[in-house]
């Protein structure tokens, strides 16, 4: 597609429920990144996918968070048993091969856990 | 671990004034990026600085990189209200795998 697409744009969920956030990167971009941005804060790295390599999961804050990328394209970030501190905007970005080509960010998913 | 610090975190300035935002980082890197984020929006790429001494300018914004000092600056000349936004710097790790972001500088330009 023309840009990085994320869905849903907004998600309100009850504490303890599981949620899935979707990212559809730019066609041909082999690198895909998930970041989290809490209210008024900077960006916190979560996970990075590059081609068919094993993902870099070093930023995932707990084992309730997981992500997968199917067919080297669409990625899903799953948060299990959501907590109120998970409330944030989750941003996805993609890049052609490596970050040196620059990131293109999606518009984000605003997650609110009530 | 790469750490990136921006200052100031918040900047309120009058239209027509000049100011500089600073971005310091903790480990060696030759590549630095500046992004703009409007409220409720995603991040928009402003500048990519790929070597020591790199300088890029676009309109009233000019970014520079000193890799020896591990410092980048974003200079604003004769600010206008439309520049009000949050500005983030981000540093590329040496493996070229990912960016680490600063905490952002929220700029408010008052008429």
């Amino acid at each position: 597609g023309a840009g990085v697409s994320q869905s849903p744009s907004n998600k309100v969920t009850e504490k303890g429920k599981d949620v899935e956030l979707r990212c559809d990167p730019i066609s041909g971009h082999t690198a895909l990144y998930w970041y989290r941005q809490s209210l008024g804060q900077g960006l916190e790295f979560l996970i990075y996918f590059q081609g068919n390599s094993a993902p870099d999961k070093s930023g995932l804050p707990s084992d309730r968070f997981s992500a997968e990328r199917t067919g080297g394209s669409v990625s899903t970030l799953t948060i299990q048993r959501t907590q109120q501190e998970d409330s944030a905007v989750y941003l996805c970005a993609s890049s052609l091969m490596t970050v040196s080509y620059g990131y293109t960010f999606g518009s984000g998913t605003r997650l609110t856990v009530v | 671990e790469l750490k990136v610090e921006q200052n100031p975190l918040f900047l309120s300035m009058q239209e027509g004034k000049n100011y500089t935002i600073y971005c310091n980082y903790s480990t060696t890197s030759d590549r630095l990026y500046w992004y703009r984020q409007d409220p409720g929006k995603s991040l928009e790429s402003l500048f990519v600085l790929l070597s020591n001494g790199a300088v890029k300018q676009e309109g009233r914004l000019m970014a520079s990189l000193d890799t020896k000092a591990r410092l980048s600056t974003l200079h604003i000349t004769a600010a206008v209200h439309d520049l009000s936004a949050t500005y983030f710097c981000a540093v590329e790790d040496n493996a070229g795998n990912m960016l680490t972001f600063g905490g952002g500088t929220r700029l408010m330009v008052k008429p």
Side-chain angles (χ1 to χ4, degrees):
Chain A
V4 178
S5 177
Q6 289 189 247
S7 61
S9 55
N10 278 285
K11 176 74 177 177
V12 179
T13 189
E14 291 181 354
K15 178 181 172 182
K17 300 283 189 184
D18 298 352
V19 294
E20 285 189 351
L21 313 180
R22 176 187 167 105
C23 173
D24 198 346
I26 292 174
S27 178
H29 278 197
T30 59
L32 186 148
Y33 309 81
W34 283 99
Y35 285 80
R36 177 168 72 173
Q37 186 176 29
S38 300
L39 186 63
Q41 302 296 312
L43 276 72
E44 174 190 6
F45 166 74
L46 296 178
I47 188 168
Y48 156 60
F49 296 89
Q50 173 58 274
N52 295 320
S53 302
D56 177 352
K57 304 179 182 181
S58 59
L60 294 178
S62 77
D63 59 8
R64 295 186 295 104
F65 287 72
S66 62
E68 63 177 20
R69 189 178 183 193
T70 53
S73 181
V74 172
S75 176
T76 302
L77 177 68
T78 301
I79 308 173
Q80 295 178 308
R81 305 180 302 282
T82 51
Q83 304 294 313
Q84 286 186 329
E85 60 262 29
D86 299 335
S87 296
V89 175
Y90 289 81
L91 289 165
C92 174
S94 71
S95 176
L96 183 62
M97 292 177 66
T98 72
V99 72
S100 302
Y101 287 85
Y103 280 11
T104 300
F105 279 90
S107 55
T109 293
R110 181 175 298 279
L111 175 67
T112 304
V113 182
V114 297
Chain B
E1 179 188 350
L2 174 58
K3 293 188 186 299
V4 182
E5 291 188 356
Q6 285 181 239
N7 70 84
L9 298 181
F10 179 76
L11 176 56
S12 178
M13 55 192 298
Q14 296 289 129
E15 280 193 329
K17 298 292 187 183
N18 304 333
Y19 208 82
T20 300
I21 299 170
Y22 297 88
C23 174
N24 292 89
Y25 54 98
S26 61
T27 64
T28 304
S29 175
D30 290 335
R31 299 170 185 262
L32 189 138
Y33 303 74
W34 284 95
Y35 289 86
R36 168 179 172 147
Q37 185 177 39
D38 291 294
K41 305 288 187 181
S42 191
L43 278 77
E44 170 193 353
S45 179
L46 289 176
F47 299 110
V48 179
L49 303 169
L50 299 179
S51 62
N52 185 41
V55 177
K56 295 279 185 74
Q57 182 163 6
E58 180 73 33
R60 300 174 188 275
L61 300 178
M62 183 173 71
S64 65
L65 177 62
D66 181 342
T67 59
K68 294 179 181 178
R70 300 176 187 171
L71 170 69
S72 179
T73 59
L74 180 65
H75 187 73
I76 304 154
T77 301
V80 293
H81 179 68
D82 285 352
L83 290 180
S84 298
T86 299
Y87 294 85
F88 290 94
C89 64
V91 179
E92 180 178 325
D93 69 356
N94 285 327
N97 287 334
M98 56 172 283
L99 299 182
T100 299
F101 284 79
T105 296
R106 185 176 165 206
L107 172 66
M108 186 178 299
V109 182
K110 297 185 285 188

